[in-house]
C-alpha cells in the first residue's frame, strides 16, 4: 500500500526513518521513504496544480494536473500517486507540462455549467475557478455535452447536490469513505456518464449519510454546496472568519466561523485543527442557528413566587441552586443525589462534576451519559 | 429444478475466494435481473457498503437492473458487425439493445441472449470455428495440437501430448530451472503490453508474501480479438496445465481464470475441464501426486472492457469498484489481495507447455529473422477467410492478408487495417507494407498488442469506422481520469459531426485532446484511444476535411 506522508511507519523500536535525496527543479531536496512526489513539492512551495488531491486522502490520480517530468520516463507522471525514490530527477514546470495542464483545464471547463460559484458554497469551492483563470482556460474550446445531473429533488436542508457542476474527482466519495467511514455515496456508471450517487439513486436522508458536510468542504467546484451558508448570501458585508472551537462536545473541533457584520453566515472546518484535521459533524458544521435564535438564554433565569421565570444575576442564580441542593441533602440524605455529566462536556468539566458530587455530597452516584 | 433460495446461494459462495462476481451472477441468473432486494441481501452478506455495491453493479454493462433484463437480446454493433448488418439485426429483434464487440468478429453478427450466443450463420454455435490450418512449412506453437480429436477432453488432451509438461517439470525441474527456461524462450506477454513472461514470473517467485496467485486474463475485451476464445474452447486443458506450471515456477497456490461475460459456452467448457483436471490430480491438493498444491477458480466478468486491464481486473475479482489501480506498485508484488500475483494472458500461458516439452530454442526459432516465437492474429472484416492465424513473428502483414487469408473481396483493395484490435489505430497506404513484429509496427506509430486486425476495403467510410471505434472507447472509459473520461467523449462528438466547423480548428482540438490523452492518461485505454484520430488524420486528411466541411454546409 502507498502510505501517506503524514503516517509514521509502524515499527517495534522507533528508528528514525531513512533520509534520501532527489532533485526537484534543479535543487537537491531530502525526503523520507513513503512520501509521494506531491508531498515533497508542497513542502517546497512548488504549488503543483491539482483538483483531485486532498492531502488527507489516499492518493488517487484522477485529474492528472499534478503531472511532473521524471527523468527517464517517456510520459509525465502524476506526482500525487508516485512514491519518491532516491536520486529521482523531477521537474514541476516545463512547456510540455503547462500545455497539458491548460488542455486539461479547457476540457474540465467544457463539461460544467458554471465555473464561477459563490465562495460560501464550501471550503474548496473556488479551486477549479482559480485554476481555470490561472491557465486562461475560458477559451470555449472542446465544447460538447456536459456531464452530471443535478439532484434538485433532494430537499435536504444542508447539502446542495448540483452535479451539473461536478467534474468527477471523487473527492466527496473518498472523504465519505476514508475520513468519515460512512460510505454513503459512490460512483455510478462509467466514463463520461459517471455520476455521484447514493444506493439506488436515492435521497441523502434515506442513505447512510450523517450530514457531516465533509463532502461539501472537499468539493473543488461547488457542485456540493453548503445550503445553510448559501442561504445567507444576501447578508451584506464582507465575510470575516474567526478561529474558534465548536461548542457542541468534548472533542473540541477547530472551526473557522464566517461572519458578516454581527451575523454568523456559516462554518468552515479548520484543516489544521489538531483534534479534527478538517472533520466536523452535522452539529458543528450546520447547527449554528441557535446563536441568533430568539429563544436562546442570554442571562440566568430564576423562578419567582409567581411561578414564572425572571431574569437574575449569576450570584442570585447560583445561591438559589445551592439552597436547593442543600435542602435535598438535609431532608433526604447524601445518596438522594445522582450526577450525570453530559457527553458534550469536556474532560475538565466532567472532572468538576465528579468532584462536586463526591466531595460536595459525599456519594459515588456519578455517571456520564455517553456510558449509557 | 428448484429455485435456490438466497440462503442456498450464500451457502454456496460464502467460503469461496472472490465471491462477489459469482454471487451477482447467481442472483442475476436466478431472478433474471438484479433487484434492489438482491443487492441489499448481497451487501449484507458480504458486509459491503450498499452504496458501493450499487455503484459497482452499475459499472458492468451486462448486469441488468430491470426485470427480464438478463434475457433481453444484445446485438453486437462493433466496427466489424456494423459492416455486416448489425443495424438490421438490432432493428429486427424485440427489445434488443446494442453491445460492444463480444469477440465473434469471425462469425458476425452475434446476439447474446441470457447465457447463449447466437450468430448470424448458425443458431447457438457452441464453439468458435477452429483455426484454418497454416500454410505448408509453417510450425505452430499454441495451435499445433488444437485440431486433434476431442482435444477439449482430458483423454483427448492427453492423447495429443497434453499433461506431459506439468509432470515433467515437477519431477525433473526445480522452479528456478523452469524460470530459466521461460526466460530463455524470450516469451513475452500476448495480452497487449509484451512484458517478458520470465521476468514477471521471477518477480513473483522472488516477492515476499503468501499465498501467491496466478491470474489468467481471459477478459478478451478488445474489439477484433477472439484468439483467447478459440484457445479456451478447443484447448481448455492447456490453460489449466499452463497455470499449474506458472504456479509451480512461482510458488503460487491459487489461481483464477477471469473470463469475459460474453463467452458463456466457454465458461461451461472451462468448468468441465477444471472438474476433469481436479479428478485427475492435475490441480488440487496433490498435483500429480506430489506435495505441490494448486487450486483453480473460474470467475466470470460482467461486461466492462477495462476489466481486462490487469489492475482493474484484480479490483473486479476482489469485489471492488473496477477502476485501475495506480502503479507502481505492480501486481507482481501487490496483486490479488495485495499479495504477489502473476497476471498473464491466455495465449501467453498456453505457449508454456510446448516450450517445456520442446525447449526454449525451438520456441525462439519459430519466429522469423531475430524475432522469437509466434503470435496469434485474429483477422476479421473485409477479408475472404477471417479467423485466427498463428503466425511467425516477423511475417509481413500483406503476406498474412493475401496469402494466408485470401485477400479482400473480389475486385476490392485494402484501404486500411486496425492494429491491436482497435487500440493501435489504423495502418494504411504504404504503411501496410510492414512486418508483424512489435518494433516494426511501433515504428509506424502503432502497435501489435493483442493481435486483432480488422480489414476495411476501399468501399468503407473511414470516418464512420473511426467514429465507431471512438464510441467504443468512450463507452468503455472507466471514468477515473479526466483526460480519458472527457477526451473520449469529445473525440466521439467530433467524429459524429459536432465541434468546430473550421477544419484547422477541428484538427487543432482533436490533436490537442489526443496528445494530452496519450501523455497524461492513467492507463492504457486513454493512452491508446487517440491513435484512432491520429492515424485517421495522418492517412485520410482529405476525408477529415470533407467531414468537417460537409457539416458546415449542413449546419447553414
Ligand atoms: C484497457 C486495457 C484492456 C486490456 N485488456 C486485456 C485483455 O482483455 N486481455 C489481456 O490478456 N490483457 C489485457 N490487457 C493487458 C493487461 O493489462 C496485462 O498487461 C496482461 O494481461 C498481461 O499479460 P501478458 O503479459 O501475458 O500479456 C489490457 C490492458 C488495457 C490497458
Ligand atoms: S455529508 Fe458526510 S456522510 Fe453525508 S455524504 Fe457527505 S461526507 Fe458522506
Ligand atoms: S461532487 Fe465535487 S467532490 Fe464530488 S466528484 Fe463532483 S466535483 Fe468532485
Ligand atoms: S485512461 Fe480511461 S480507462 Fe484508464 S483509468 Fe483513465 S479513465 Fe479509466
Ligand atoms: S492531484 Fe494528482 S492526479 Fe489529481
Amino acid at each position: 500500500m502507498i502510505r501517506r506522508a503524514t503516517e509514521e511507519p509502524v515499527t517495534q523500536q522507533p528508528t528514525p526513518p531513512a533520509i534520501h535525496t532527489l532533485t526537484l527543479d534543479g535543487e537537491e531536496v531530502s525526503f523520507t521513504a513513503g512520501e509521494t512526489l506531491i508531498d515533497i513539492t508542497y513542502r517546497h512551495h512548488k504549488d503543483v496544480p491539482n483538483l483531485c488531491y486532498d492531502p488527507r486522502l489516499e492518493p488517487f490520480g484522477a485529474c492528472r494536473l499534478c503531472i511532473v517530468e521524471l527523468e527517464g520516463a517517456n510520459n509525465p507522471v502524476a506526482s500525487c500517486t508516485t512514491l519518491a525514490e532516491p536520486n529521482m530527477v523531477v521537474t514541476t514546470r516545463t512547456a510540455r507540462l503547462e500545455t497539458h495542464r491548460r488542455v486539461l483545464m479547457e476540457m474540465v471547463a467544457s463539461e460544467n455549467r458554471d465555473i464561477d460559484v459563490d465562495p460560501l458554497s464550501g471550503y474548496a469551492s473556488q479551486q477549479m475557478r482559480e485554476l481555470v483563470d490561472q491557465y486562461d482556460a475560458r477559451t470555449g474550446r472542446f465544447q460538447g455535452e456536459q456531464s452530471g445531473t443535478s439532484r434538485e429533488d433532494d430537499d435536504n436542508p444542508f447539502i446542495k447536490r448540483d452535479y451539473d457542476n461536478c467534474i468527477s474527482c471523487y473527492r466527496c466519495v473518498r472523504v465519505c469513505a476514508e475520513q468519515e467511514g460512512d460510505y454513503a455515496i459512490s460512483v455510478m456508471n462509467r466514463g463520461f456518464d459517471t455520476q455521484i450517487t447514493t444506493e439506488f439513486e436515492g435521497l441523502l436522508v434515506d442513505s447512510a449519510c450523517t450530514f457531516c458536510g465533509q463532502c461539501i468542504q472537499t468539493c473543488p467546484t461547488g457542485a456540493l454546496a453548503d445550503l445553510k451558508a448559501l442561504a445567507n448570501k444576501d447578508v451584506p458585508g464582507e465575510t470575516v472568519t474567526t478561529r474558534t472551537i465548536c461548542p457542541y462536545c468534548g472533542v473540541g473541533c477547530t472551526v473557522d466561523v464566517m461572519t458578516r457584520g454581527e451575523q454568523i453566515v456559516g462554518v468552515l472546518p479548520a484543516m489544521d485543527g489538531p483534534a479534527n484535521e478538517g472533520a466536523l459533524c452535522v452539529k458543528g458544521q450546520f447547527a449554528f442557528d441557535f446563536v441568533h435564535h430568539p429563544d436562546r438564554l442570554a442571562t440566568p433565569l430564576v423562578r419567582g413566587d409567581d411561578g414564572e421565570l425572571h431574569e437574575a444575576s449569576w450570584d442570585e442564580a447560583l445561591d438559589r441552586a445551592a439552597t436547593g441542593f442543600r435542602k435535598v441533602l438535609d431532608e433526604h440524605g447524601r445518596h438522594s443525589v445522582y450526577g450525570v455529566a453530559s457527553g458534550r462536556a469536556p474532560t475538565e468539566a466532567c472532572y468538576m462534576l465528579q468532584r462536586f458530587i463526591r466531595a460536595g455530597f459525599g456519594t459515588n452516584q456519578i455517571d456520564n451519559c455517553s456510558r449509557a | 429444478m428448484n429455485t435456490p433460495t438466497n440462503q442456498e446461494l450464500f451457502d454456496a459462495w460464502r467460503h469461496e475466494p472472490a465471491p462477489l462476481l459469482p454471487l451477482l451472477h447467481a442472483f442475476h441468473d436466478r431472478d433474471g435481473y438484479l433487484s434492489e432486494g438482491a443487492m441489499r441481501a448481497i451487501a449484507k452478506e458480504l458486509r459491503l457498503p450498499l452504496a458501493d455495491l450499487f455503484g459497482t453493479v452499475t459499472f458492468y454493462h451486462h448486469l441488468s437492473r430491470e426485470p427480464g433484463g438478463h434475457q433481453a437480446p444484445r446485438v453486437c454493433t462493433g466496427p466489424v458487425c456494423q459492416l455486416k448488418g448489425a443495424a438490421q439485426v438490432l432493428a429486427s429483434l424485440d427489445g434488443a439493445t446494442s453491445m460492444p464487440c463480444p469477440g465473434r468478429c469471425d462469425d458476425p453478427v452475434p446476439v447474446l441472449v441470457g447465457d447463449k450466443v447466437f450468430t448470424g450463420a448458425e443458431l447457438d454455435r457452441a464453439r468458435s470455428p477452429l483455426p484454418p490450418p497454416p500454410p505448408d512449412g509453417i510450425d505452430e506453437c499454441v495451435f499445433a495440437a488444437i485440431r486433434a480429436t476431442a482435444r477439449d477432453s482430458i483423454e483427448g488432451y492427453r492423447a495429443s501430448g497434453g499433461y506431459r509438461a506439468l509432470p515433467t517439470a515437477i519431477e525433473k525441474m526445480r522452479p528456478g530451472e523452469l524460470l530459466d527456461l521461460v526466460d530463455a524462450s524470450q516469451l513475452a506477454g500476448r495480452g497487449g503490453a509484451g512484458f517478458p513472461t520470465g521476468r514477471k514470473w521471477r518477480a513473483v517467485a522472488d516477492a515476499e508474501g503468501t499465498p501467491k496467485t496466478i491470474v489468467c486474463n481471459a477478459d478478451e475485451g478488445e474489439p477484433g480479438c477472439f484468439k483467447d476464445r478459440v484457445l479456451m474452447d478447443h484447448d481448455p486443458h492447456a490453460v489449466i496445465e499452463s497455470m499449474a506450471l506458472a504456479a509451480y515456477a512461482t510458488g503460487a497456490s491459487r489461481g483464477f481464470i477471469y473470463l469475459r461475460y460474453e463467452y458463456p459456452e466457454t465458461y461451461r467448457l472451462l468448468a468441465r475441464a477444471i472438474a476433469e483436471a481436479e479428478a485427475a490430480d492435475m490441480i488440487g491438493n496433490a498435483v500429480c501426486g506430489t506435495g505441490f498444491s494448486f487450486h483453480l477458480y473460474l470467475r466470470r466478468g460482467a461486461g466492462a472492457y477495462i476489466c481486462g486491464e490487469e489492475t482493474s481486473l484484480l479490483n473486479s475479482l476482489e469485489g471492488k469498484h473496477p477502476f485501475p489501480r495506480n502503479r507502481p506498485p505492480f501486481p507482481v508484488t501487490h496483486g490479488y489481495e495485495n499479495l504477489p500475483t502473476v497476471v498473464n494472458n491466455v495465449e501467453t500461458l498456453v505457449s508454456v507447455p510446448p516450450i517445456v516439452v520442446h525447449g526454449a530454442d525451438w520456441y525462439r526459432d519459430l519466429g522469423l529473422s531475430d524475432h522469437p516465437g509466434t503470435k496469434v492474429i485474429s483477422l476479421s472484416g473485409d477479408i475472404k477467410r477471417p479467423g485466427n492465424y498463428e503466425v511467425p513473428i516477423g511475417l509481413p502483414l500483406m503476406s498474412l492478408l493475401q496469402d494466408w487469408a485470401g485477400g479482400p473481396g473480389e475486385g476490392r483493395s485494402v484501404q486500411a487495417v486496425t492494429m491491436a484490435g482497435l487500440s493501435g489505430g489504423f495502418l494504411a497506404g504504404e504503411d501496410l507494407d510492414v512486418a508483424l513484429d512489435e518494433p516494426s509496427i511501433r515504428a509506424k506509430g502503432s502497435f501489435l498488442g493483442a493481435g486483432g486486425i480488422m480489414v476495411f476495403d476501399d468501399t468503407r467510410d473511414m470516418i464512420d469506422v473511426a467514429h465507431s471505434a471512438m464510441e467504443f472507447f468512450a463507452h468503455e472509459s472507466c471514468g477515473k481520469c479526466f483526460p480519458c473520461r472527457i477526451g473520449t467523449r469529445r473525440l466521439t462528438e467530433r467524429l459524429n459531426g459536432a465541434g468546430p466547423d473550421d477544419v484547422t480548428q477541428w484538427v487543432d482540438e482533436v490533436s490537442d485532446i489526443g496528445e494530452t490523452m496519450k501523455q497524461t492518461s492513467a492507463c492504457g485505454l486513454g493512452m491508446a484511444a487517440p491513435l484512432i484520430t491520429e492515424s485517421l488524420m495522418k492517412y485520410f486528411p482529405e476525408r477529415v476535411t470533407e467531414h468537417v466541411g460537409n457539416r458546415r454546409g449542413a449546419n447553414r
Side-chain angles (χ1 to χ4, degrees):
Chain A
M1 285 306 293
I2 296 171
R3 187 167 31 229
R4 280 195 297 131
T6 47
E7 286 174 30
E8 293 296 328
V10 183
T11 47
Q12 290 304 92
Q13 281 159 341
T15 41
I19 308 281
H20 307 287
T21 57
L22 56 71
T23 308
L24 180 65
D25 290 340
E27 257 178 81
E28 193 171 274
V29 302
S30 52
F31 68 93
T32 51
E35 282 190 284
T36 59
L37 292 181
I38 206 168
D39 293 330
I40 301 168
T41 61
Y42 262 67
R43 198 162 56 239
H44 293 275
H45 308 289
K46 294 292 184 188
D47 279 349
V48 173
N50 60 76
L51 279 173
C52 71
Y53 176 69
D54 180 329
R56 299 171 297 167
L57 304 178
E58 291 290 330
F60 191 70
C63 74
R64 319 308 286 176
L65 288 161
C66 70
I67 43 173
V68 295
E69 303 279 2
L70 187 61
E71 202 174 85
N74 286 335
N75 285 340
V77 301
S79 60
C80 68
T81 58
T82 306
L83 282 180
E85 282 172 33
N87 307 321
M88 276 180 164
V89 178
V90 178
T91 314
T92 62
R93 292 218 185 241
T94 63
R96 166 164 95 152
L97 293 175
E98 291 299 285
T99 303
H100 288 315
R101 287 170 181 157
R102 177 155 196 243
V103 169
L104 286 168
M105 287 314 300
E106 290 178 281
M107 278 163 113
V108 166
S110 77
E111 69 165 322
N112 273 10
R113 185 193 61 220
D114 305 316
I115 292 167
D116 303 297
V117 300
D118 194 308
L120 288 175
S121 299
Y123 178 85
S125 64
Q126 302 305 300
Q127 211 182 330
M128 179 183 88
R129 180 193 58 74
E130 281 162 12
L131 282 175
V132 165
D133 289 339
Q134 185 183 325
Y135 282 94
D136 202 7
R138 297 187 201 234
T139 57
R141 295 208 304 160
F142 308 149
Q143 269 174 21
E145 201 190 326
Q146 300 194 329
S147 67
T149 307
S150 292
R151 293 298 301 266
E152 279 155 25
D153 59 326
D154 197 327
D155 53 0
N156 81 80
F158 303 125
I159 301 176
K160 185 171 174 193
R161 302 173 68 193
D162 194 4
Y163 299 121
D164 285 294
N165 285 344
C166 171
I167 57 171
S168 300
C169 68
Y170 312 130
R171 277 161 70 164
C172 51
V173 174
R174 292 180 286 134
V175 87
C176 187
E178 293 174 31
Q179 288 288 106
E180 286 299 306
D182 283 333
Y183 298 90
I185 48 176
S186 63
V187 183
M188 185 176 172
N189 303 331
R190 290 195 307 241
F192 201 70
D193 298 327
T194 52
Q195 168 83 27
I196 306 302
T197 187
T198 64
E199 67 263 23
F200 313 121
E201 300 175 80
L203 305 180
L204 280 177
V205 274
D206 300 324
S207 76
C209 174
T210 62
F211 294 97
C212 67
Q214 285 290 287
C215 49
I216 293 175
Q217 306 299 358
T218 195
C219 178
T221 64
L224 296 174
D226 180 343
L227 283 173
K228 300 248 347 208
L230 283 176
N232 293 322
K233 69 173 190 291
D234 296 330
V235 174
E238 198 191 338
T239 308
V240 176
T241 60
T242 306
R243 177 64 54 104
T244 183
I245 302 290
C246 170
Y248 271 107
C249 84
V251 171
C253 296
T254 310
V255 292
D256 288 319
V257 174
M258 295 187 286
T259 50
R260 284 185 186 167
E262 288 296 298
Q263 189 174 336
I264 295 182
V265 293
V267 172
L268 294 176
M271 293 301 156
D272 54 350
N276 57 323
E277 291 180 350
L280 287 181
C281 77
V282 60
K283 293 180 287 180
Q285 177 64 68
F286 295 115
F288 54 83
D289 318 66
F290 72 93
V291 176
H292 299 299
H293 200 279
D295 288 354
R296 185 180 167 195
L297 292 187
T299 59
L301 300 177
V302 298
R303 204 171 295 284
D305 293 339
D306 57 359
E308 296 296 316
L309 292 168
H310 298 281
E311 290 193 359
S313 71
W314 275 107
D315 280 347
E316 215 180 315
L318 288 170
D319 281 349
R320 174 69 76 86
T323 313
F325 278 130
R326 192 170 303 280
K327 184 159 176 262
V328 170
L329 192 60
D330 292 346
E331 286 177 14
H332 302 287
R334 60 196 177 107
H335 293 308
S336 61
V337 179
Y338 176 53
V340 189
S342 165
R344 277 169 49 179
T347 315
E348 294 81 351
C350 292
Y351 178 79
M352 286 307 298
L353 183 74
Q354 174 271 140
R355 288 300 292 160
F356 179 62
I357 297 288
R358 288 212 168 97
F361 292 92
T363 176
N364 282 328
Q365 292 179 166
I366 170 72
D367 213 331
N368 186 291
C369 81
S370 54
R371 210 177 64 94
Chain B
M1 219 177 70
N2 281 340
T3 313
T5 62
N6 286 6
Q7 201 49 51
E8 282 163 350
L9 295 179
F10 291 138
D11 289 345
W13 291 104
R14 182 185 294 126
H15 300 293
E16 293 288 309
L20 178 63
L21 279 171
L23 268 176
L24 289 174
H25 286 309
F27 279 82
H28 198 233
D29 291 348
R30 187 194 67 182
D31 303 339
Y33 75 119
L34 274 176
S35 66
E36 258 190 50
M39 284 184 258
R40 282 183 198 280
I42 294 169
K44 187 156 175 247
E45 175 68 25
L46 298 183
R47 295 164 188 244
L48 294 171
L50 188 52
D52 276 11
L53 178 79
F54 173 73
T56 301
V57 165
T58 65
F59 192 92
Y60 297 108
H61 58 250
H62 282 307
L63 293 180
S64 172
R65 289 179 287 121
E66 302 293 329
H70 179 244
Q71 287 293 327
R74 291 137 213 215
V75 180
C76 174
T77 51
V80 168
C81 290
Q82 260 184 10
L83 311 177
K84 313 278 176 183
Q88 290 91 302
V89 179
L90 184 61
S92 69
L93 288 172
D94 259 0
T97 51
S98 71
M99 67 175 164
C101 174
R104 298 264 174 175
C105 320
D106 51 345
D107 209 5
V109 172
V111 179
L112 179 66
V113 182
D115 278 343
K116 286 206 162 87
V117 176
F118 300 88
T119 66
E122 275 171 55
L123 286 188
D124 192 14
R125 187 205 294 270
R127 307 276 176 102
S128 48
L130 272 168
D136 284 348
I138 295 282
D139 283 329
E140 295 172 314
C141 173
V142 299
F143 284 169
I146 201 168
R147 302 173 195 86
T149 317
R151 175 77 176 176
D152 63 332
S153 71
I154 193 160
E155 299 80 23
Y157 184 67
R158 280 207 160 109
S160 50
Y163 286 128
R164 207 177 295 162
L166 181 62
T168 310
I170 296 180
E171 278 160 33
K172 307 223 172 87
M173 298 168 92
R174 283 192 304 265
E177 288 170 297
L178 184 50
L179 293 174
D180 291 342
L181 177 74
V182 177
D183 268 339
S185 73
Q186 294 179 25
L187 175 65
R190 302 293 185 230
F195 191 83
T197 307
R199 255 169 69 196
K200 186 180 283 189
W201 288 17
R202 197 176 294 278
V204 170
D206 290 346
E208 281 184 39
T210 52
K212 296 177 182 177
T213 306
I214 309 295
V215 174
C216 171
N217 188 343
D219 198 50
E220 195 158 59
E222 184 76 39
C225 288
F226 39 88
K227 67 188 178 73
D228 297 337
R229 176 167 59 88
V230 75
L231 287 166
M232 294 183 285
D233 279 1
H234 296 284
D235 212 358
H237 284 283
V239 180
I240 298 169
E241 182 174 18
S242 63
M243 289 182 73
L245 283 166
Y248 178 69
T250 56
S253 56
R254 61 185 175 184
F256 294 98
I257 300 175
Y258 188 96
L259 180 71
R260 74 177 303 190
Y261 178 86
E262 294 84 342
Y263 290 170
E265 296 85 1
T266 312
Y267 183 91
R268 292 188 279 272
L269 289 162
L270 281 171
R272 191 187 72 192
I274 289 173
E276 285 177 339
E278 263 165 6
D281 279 341
M282 289 298 132
I283 49 177
N285 280 327
V287 177
C288 302
T290 67
F292 166 53
S293 103
F294 177 63
H295 292 272
L296 184 54
Y297 308 94
L298 181 57
R299 292 292 176 266
R300 191 174 175 206
Y305 166 59
I306 194 61
C307 287
E309 195 283 335
E310 56 187 10
T311 60
S312 169
L313 184 158
L314 292 169
N315 278 341
S316 174
L317 267 185
E318 289 181 20
K320 296 180 179 152
H321 201 80
F323 283 149
R325 299 176 182 173
N326 299 313
R327 301 173 306 167
F330 292 94
V332 287
T333 54
H334 295 71
Y336 180 68
E337 293 180 339
N338 255 331
L339 290 164
T341 300
V342 170
V343 183
N344 268 142
N345 174 252
V346 175
E347 182 189 348
T348 316
L349 285 165
V350 298
S351 305
V352 174
I355 292 174
V356 172
V357 173
H358 302 295
D361 293 345
W362 166 83
Y363 180 75
R364 273 202 319 273
D365 291 346
L366 291 177
L368 299 181
S369 48
D370 285 344
H371 305 293
T374 65
K375 176 79 195 84
V376 178
I377 303 288
S378 302
L379 197 57
S380 63
D382 296 320
I383 192 82
K384 284 215 188 88
R385 291 192 292 276
N388 286 299
Y389 296 90
E390 183 174 8
V391 304
I393 295 188
L395 183 80
L397 169 64
M398 287 318 278
S399 167
L400 170 67
L401 297 184
Q402 296 293 350
D403 309 339
W404 293 45
E410 245 20 271
R412 297 275 160 249
S413 62
V414 175
Q415 182 179 199
V417 299
T418 65
M419 279 287 147
L422 288 178
S423 289
F426 305 114
L427 287 183
E430 287 176 4
D431 285 348
L432 292 172
D433 191 10
V434 68
L436 292 170
D437 62 77
E438 206 58 270
S440 305
I441 297 173
R442 283 191 190 257
K444 311 278 185 203
S446 177
F447 65 107
L448 183 57
I453 296 180
M454 302 182 199
V455 182
F456 299 95
D457 71 22
D458 51 343
T459 65
R460 305 301 180 183
D461 180 351
M462 293 311 291
I463 299 277
D464 284 351
V465 178
H467 173 250
S468 158
M470 197 56 75
E471 209 173 23
F472 170 79
F473 288 121
H475 186 260
E476 298 300 327
S477 164
C478 78
K480 178 181 176 180
C481 75
F482 289 20
C484 168
R485 179 177 59 82
I486 308 172
T488 51
R489 177 60 62 104
R490 291 292 177 258
L491 293 180
T492 307
E493 290 165 346
R494 273 143 192 76
L495 290 166
N496 196 27
D501 50 18
D502 174 87
V503 178
T504 317
Q505 276 177 24
W506 192 97
V507 169
D508 276 354
E509 284 199 6
V510 169
S511 312
D512 284 359
I513 293 172
E515 229 13 69
T516 295
M517 286 173 72
K518 273 171 84 171
Q519 294 190 30
T520 71
S521 289
C523 90
L525 192 157
M527 291 174 174
L531 290 185
I532 291 289
T533 36
E534 191 182 289
S535 55
L536 179 77
M537 294 186 295
K538 170 174 163 192
Y539 297 116
F540 306 101
E542 62 299 327
R543 275 298 294 125
V544 169
T545 309
E546 253 172 63
H547 166 73
V548 182
N550 280 347
R551 201 170 44 77
R552 175 157 47 183
N555 278 356
R556 288 219 170 121

